[in-house]
Amino acid sequence: MERALIICLAEPILNPIWVYLGNGEVPSMTTTVIGVSFILLGAITGILFTSKAKKLRKIKNSN
């Protein structure tokens, strides 16, 4: 699950790179940093909640 989340979130990160390679358009640094920060925050949050849910399920099943 975590891998799928990261792969899906990698697409918006790579968009400025593809635009730069295809059109030569350089995105602003502020926009890029803000966008990447949100995407990484979302990925980290998703991974943490998924691992926490797995631990809770493991504890429930052992009881």
Side-chain angles (χ1 to χ4, degrees):
M1 170 96 173
E2 294 93 10
R3 290 182 188 156
L5 175 69
I6 292 170
I7 290 171
C8 289
L9 291 174
E11 190 265 334
I13 293 173
L14 294 173
N15 275 342
I17 296 170
W18 298 126
V19 170
Y20 174 74
L21 293 174
N23 294 337
E25 183 180 329
V26 179
S28 72
M29 188 58 134
T30 305
T31 306
T32 304
V33 170
I34 291 171
V36 169
S37 298
F38 279 125
I39 291 168
L40 290 177
L41 181 65
I44 291 168
T45 304
I47 290 169
L48 290 176
F49 280 122
T50 302
S51 64
K52 187 175 182 178
K54 284 181 184 178
K55 287 178 186 177
L56 289 174
R57 274 187 254 135
K58 190 176 181 181
I59 291 170
K60 274 186 174 180
N61 290 336
S62 67
N63 289 335

